[in-house]
Amino acid sequence: GHRWLRPLCINFVMCFVLMPGLALALAWAIGASREQLAGMVLLASVNGGQASNLCCLIAGADVPLSILMTVSTTFGGIVLTPLLLKTLLGAVIRVDSWGILRSTVQVVLFPVLMGVVSKAVVPRLCDAMKPGIPVLGILVSIFVVGA
């Protein structure tokens, strides 16, 4: 609940203010073209995604918080990334909101739901599989990225 509010706010500021601002400053410093500048700002405002959640699992960090950060910045990015590009560069980009929603459900929410249900239905099996889950996560990530 409340213990996640501050990290979520920091994550939003980093994702949609600091990172694009640094990209903008770096692009100006190196004399990037308008297209390069747009690409750098766009790339800087994209959140960590599924791989960051896997890294949190492997590192023993707060995985639910990581998932919440991923989902919140993904959904926030539907509005904020085009707004950033319009504000900073005057560029308009089209965002496939339904595609982003579908992808987030498939890559983040569905696997989490499967894990929660599995843990409730077959807890001993889940506990026995726990040591191999990071390797399985890496293999699934490779498959998803390759598809």
Side-chain angles (χ1 to χ4, degrees):
H2 290 98
R3 71 182 178 98
W4 286 347
L5 184 57
R6 184 172 181 201
L8 280 174
C9 291
I10 291 170
N11 187 48
F12 252 80
V13 169
M14 296 298 230
C15 190
F16 298 113
V17 178
L18 182 67
M19 292 298 291
L22 289 173
L24 189 63
L26 180 61
W28 282 338
I30 64 172
S33 70
R34 183 166 175 78
E35 292 79 15
Q36 290 168 326
L37 175 69
M40 290 173 71
V41 170
L42 182 61
L43 185 61
S45 67
V46 174
N47 68 53
Q50 181 267 344
S52 66
N53 300 328
L54 179 59
C55 290
C56 282
L57 174 67
I58 292 168
D62 190 342
V63 176
L65 175 59
S66 177
I67 292 168
L68 188 57
M69 288 177 156
T70 299
V71 171
S72 65
T73 54
T74 298
F75 291 151
I78 291 171
V79 173
L80 294 174
T81 301
L83 182 64
L84 265 172
L85 288 175
K86 177 69 176 158
T87 302
L88 295 176
L89 308 172
V92 176
I93 63 167
R94 187 181 156 294
V95 174
D96 180 7
S97 303
W98 288 112
I100 292 170
L101 177 62
R102 184 177 48 255
S103 174
T104 302
V105 168
Q106 290 171 341
V107 176
V108 179
L109 298 178
F110 181 70
V112 168
L113 181 61
M114 282 180 43
V116 169
V117 170
S118 297
K119 184 72 173 167
V121 174
V122 284
R124 279 186 273 176
L125 177 62
C126 291
D127 290 341
M129 292 177 60
K130 194 172 183 177
I133 293 297
V135 172
L136 178 62
I138 291 168
L139 294 174
V140 169
S141 296
I142 291 169
F143 175 75
V144 168
V145 170

